[in-house]
Amino acid sequence: MNLLEVQDLKVSYGGIRALKGISLNIAAGELVALIGSNGAGKSTTLKALAGLLPCQGKLHLQGKSLLHRAGHLRVADGMALVPEGRGVFARLSVQENLQIGAYTRKETAAILEQELQQIYALFPRLKERRNQLAGTLSGGEQQMLAMGRAMMCKPRLLMLDEPSMGLAPLMVEKVFETIQNISTQGVSILLVEQNARQALQIASRGYVLESGSITLSDDAASLLDSAAIQKAYLGS
Amino acid sequence: MEIFLQQLINGLVQGSVYALVALGYTMVYGILGLINFAHGEVVMVGAMVALMSINAMLGSAFPPAIILPVALFAAIFACMLLGYSIERIAYRPLRHAPRLAPLITAIGVSIVLQTLAMIIWGREYHAFPQLFPNQSHNFGGAVINDVQLAIIIIALLVMSMLMLLVHRTRLGRAMRAVAENQSAAILMGININQVISITFMLGSALAAIAGIMVSANYGVVHYYMGFMLGLKAFTAAVLGGIGNLRGAMLGGVLLGLIESLGAGYIGTLTGGFMGSNYQDAFAFLVLIGVLIFRPSGLLGERVADRA
Ligand SMILES: Nc1ncnc2c1ncn2[C@@H]1O[C@H](COP(=O)(O)OP(=O)(O)O)[C@@H](O)[C@H]1O
Ligand SMILES: [Mg+2]
């Protein structure tokens, strides 16, 4: 059984249909890329899955329908989204941002503290700056913080909306490295990227979204080889 | 010098009350970007409920040491319920409406509550009973009484507790997160409706305490008492930087001091032309001054893009 199953998902913004019935699924532990040009509906898809936008269709996580479940309840169900623009709480300290990631967790303080230390081990920069306001971090550090914070939710499915956007090349490398690292821990990942080549290089499968419809889905390797994809999204 | 000291004490007492009420304005503004103009009426309801509770118990065998806390809790409970209901009924349906809609609604709620209070409690001034002997203390030539002393001490205690709550607890963290970015807060699993309700209830609890303070200090309760007090506390919140908790406390105390020092010296300054009955004008001079010269307030930031 797939971890995530989406069928015929539709989303409208005040009468204008942004998603025209898309279907996709993600198996446990899989890393799937969702690519598409600006305005195709990638962010809309992730927001609908996370419960930030009302939608129609079918949406199941671990066999359980989430369609009518409020967004904040989906976190405990195992979904986490690192939104476009990162959404760190600029006026909370770095550490508070990480702590609030564990808001719905029922584990003991000792276990959560241990997980916090694991995040710090992964991102030493965050540990150095743990008492600083998150708003004072650089873009790359904020992206690390947003990913670390999402990990504190202990998700089964982690969704990332353009995590490499606006980052320096070195930081982009670090971001993709981290995503792979999280993936090897068994977390399923749905990765939205403008940077299609790099996304497909670490993903096992990919979906191509064009003006609100999925037009192609295949193994990542095949998508990388496809002439049409190369022309449209890989700039070669 | 004695006038100065006396007015300083009066200002601190009044400022403590302003600070508590201003916190309610600023907490709601911080989390919803909304000016809850009905907040002054919550103060009045707190005072009225306390008065009713005290009057109901006065003839009984209960000692004042029981009556006062019971009245306090009754007022706090009633105000929390009221604050919760105001948000739930009047503001929540307008959460995504254009800004003017909740603003007009807020003024409407304020008028409705005033009118209801007038119907229930009448237009007359009610005496607020003195439960304990209120001794006066000499303090370098100035006088401070027990009620005033209690107001300052309790306000300090309550404000410290609020600061601890907001800055040191999981709930406080959630409140700050919701204030900053609601959709990111949802992504953390925070029930933002619940956090917003709690914020209204906390602000209303502070209003209840403030309502009892002014009633005990002046000895009267009136259905209209929340109007001017609310307006001044709102001024204090703007002075400190609306949305900023420390700003509300600072603004409250400063406004109290400005008012009382102003009232104490205006006679001398104008050669007797204007008297201390012009006291209320100071608050609004301050409001106008702040709005012209520093709209973000003393400790505020980025208000322009939120208001
Ligand atoms: N809040 C909104 N209101 C109205 N239209 C929107 C809104 N957000 C996105 N859209 C529209 O929906 C379409 C998909 O947007 P989006 O999901 O952000 O695309 P992508 O993330 O792939 O760039 C676009 O045409 C965009 O203009
Ligand atoms: Mg997008």
Side-chain angles (χ1 to χ4, degrees):
Chain A
M1 191 184 66
N2 285 313
L3 177 79
L4 176 77
E5 293 200 16
V6 177
Q7 268 170 41
D8 202 24
L9 192 76
K10 297 190 180 95
V11 175
S12 303
Y13 291 109
I16 298 167
R17 183 140 283 179
L19 286 187
K20 301 168 183 163
I22 66 164
S23 300
L24 56 86
N25 53 64
I26 299 177
E30 210 179 7
L31 200 175
V32 174
L34 177 63
I35 61 175
S37 48
N38 231 334
K42 305 182 296 296
S43 298
T44 302
T45 304
L46 296 192
K47 282 184 203 162
L49 295 182
L52 296 180
L53 289 174
C55 58
Q56 296 170 301
K58 285 192 182 144
L59 165 56
H60 291 266
L61 188 75
Q62 295 187 294
K64 177 175 159 188
S65 175
L66 295 189
L67 203 65
H68 301 293
R69 214 157 150 73
H72 68 271
L73 296 175
R74 298 186 195 187
V75 178
D77 293 336
M79 254 189 192
L81 166 62
V82 176
E84 201 167 15
R86 291 144 201 147
V88 302
F89 299 109
R91 279 175 280 166
L92 267 59
S93 73
V94 167
Q95 177 135 323
E96 286 178 321
N97 268 275
L98 292 172
Q99 286 168 331
I100 213 163
Y103 186 77
T104 61
R105 304 279 304 280
K106 301 271 181 282
E107 286 85 345
T108 62
I111 292 177
L112 296 178
E113 175 62 27
Q114 200 183 341
E115 286 184 30
L116 184 70
Q117 293 308 326
Q118 284 169 9
I119 304 285
Y120 281 148
L122 201 58
F123 307 117
R125 295 283 283 173
L126 296 185
K127 184 169 192 179
E128 280 167 34
R129 291 160 191 259
R130 62 185 178 277
N131 294 322
Q132 245 170 269
L133 292 187
T136 64
L137 298 184
S138 74
E141 289 163 348
Q142 288 192 13
Q143 186 60 47
M144 302 298 160
L145 179 58
M147 291 200 290
R149 188 181 63 173
M151 288 309 289
M152 291 298 290
C153 302
K154 197 135 199 150
R156 289 174 209 282
L157 174 66
L158 175 63
M159 303 184 283
L160 299 143
D161 198 347
E162 311 222 20
S164 75
M165 189 162 60
L167 301 186
L170 218 63
M171 267 299 170
V172 173
E173 285 311 315
K174 173 88 181 158
V175 165
F176 278 100
E177 228 172 76
T178 307
I179 294 170
Q180 271 185 301
N181 183 332
I182 293 171
S183 173
T184 55
Q185 294 171 30
V187 179
S188 304
I189 294 177
L190 179 55
L191 172 61
V192 160
E193 261 300 334
Q194 288 267 327
N195 200 334
R197 184 186 304 278
Q198 252 173 319
L200 288 171
Q201 275 165 354
I202 63 169
S204 60
R205 288 190 301 122
Y207 290 91
V208 179
L209 191 61
E210 277 177 45
S211 16
S213 302
I214 287 185
T215 51
L216 205 58
S217 84
D218 210 337
D219 290 341
S222 317
L223 288 175
L224 276 170
D225 284 341
S226 142
I229 295 296
Q230 288 191 355
K231 189 154 174 286
Y233 301 108
L234 302 176
S236 60
Chain B
M1 196 56 209
E2 267 136 54
I3 294 186
F4 179 76
L5 196 60
Q6 187 62 56
Q7 294 307 84
L8 204 65
I9 290 172
N10 295 348
L12 276 178
V13 171
Q14 194 58 30
S16 305
V17 174
Y18 289 157
L20 287 182
V21 183
L23 279 166
Y25 279 101
T26 232
M27 285 161 73
V28 164
Y29 185 85
I31 210 153
L32 281 186
L34 163 83
I35 298 186
N36 176 16
F37 277 116
H39 191 59
E41 273 56 55
V42 179
V43 177
M44 174 272 294
V45 169
M48 287 291 188
V49 170
L51 174 68
M52 286 202 313
S53 319
I54 291 173
N55 283 343
M57 288 182 287
L58 262 187
S60 72
F62 293 121
I66 301 273
I67 295 179
L68 186 63
V70 170
L72 178 68
F73 280 109
I76 289 177
F77 179 78
C79 286
M80 285 173 93
L81 193 67
L82 179 62
Y84 172 85
S85 311
I86 291 173
E87 190 274 328
R88 192 72 189 75
I89 297 167
Y91 300 143
R92 193 174 299 181
L94 299 174
R95 190 91 48 86
H96 302 286
R99 300 189 80 91
L100 200 54
L103 189 69
I104 293 168
T105 304
I107 295 169
V109 172
S110 168
I111 294 171
V112 166
L113 288 176
Q114 258 174 39
T115 311
L116 280 177
M118 190 185 75
I119 294 170
I120 298 172
W121 291 297
R123 295 169 154 275
E124 64 272 18
Y125 286 82
H126 306 272
F128 195 87
Q130 188 181 321
L131 290 173
F132 298 96
N134 188 11
Q135 281 171 352
S136 294
H137 310 275
N138 222 313
F139 190 74
V143 177
I144 183 166
N145 64 36
D146 288 336
V147 169
Q148 294 175 318
L149 214 53
I151 288 176
I152 293 177
I153 293 170
I154 292 172
L156 277 175
L157 269 176
V158 168
M159 289 191 283
S160 322
M161 276 161 56
L162 180 74
M163 293 311 272
L164 279 178
L165 173 80
V166 170
H167 290 285
R168 293 275 179 275
T169 68
R170 175 174 176 271
L171 172 64
R173 212 148 54 208
M175 288 169 65
R176 285 180 289 140
V178 173
E180 189 174 330
N181 185 340
Q182 293 195 3
S183 56
I186 294 173
L187 294 177
M188 300 298 108
I190 297 169
N191 182 346
I192 61 169
N193 284 333
Q194 185 188 54
V195 170
I196 289 169
S197 289
I198 292 174
T199 304
F200 269 84
M201 292 195 288
L202 278 175
S204 303
L206 300 184
I209 296 171
I212 296 177
M213 286 176 169
V214 273
S215 311
N217 195 20
Y218 294 123
V220 286
V221 179
H222 185 237
Y223 82 98
Y224 206 60
M225 66 186 279
F227 178 73
M228 191 55 98
L229 180 58
L231 222 48
K232 288 186 181 171
F234 167 67
T235 302
V238 173
L239 171 62
I242 193 148
N244 183 309
L245 295 186
R246 287 186 184 85
M249 297 187 276
L250 177 69
V253 172
L254 274 181
L255 188 68
L257 290 174
I258 291 170
E259 262 191 7
S260 78
L261 290 175
Y265 288 105
I266 186 171
T268 332
L269 287 178
T270 59
F273 179 64
M274 291 161 110
S276 59
N277 49 341
Y278 280 86
Q279 172 167 354
D280 288 347
F282 288 106
F284 304 111
L285 283 178
V286 167
L287 182 61
I288 293 166
V290 173
L291 289 177
I292 292 174
F293 296 109
R294 199 175 158 84
S296 60
L298 296 174
L299 304 183
E301 10 126 38
R302 294 186 301 122
V303 166
D305 57 51
R306 303 189 67 183

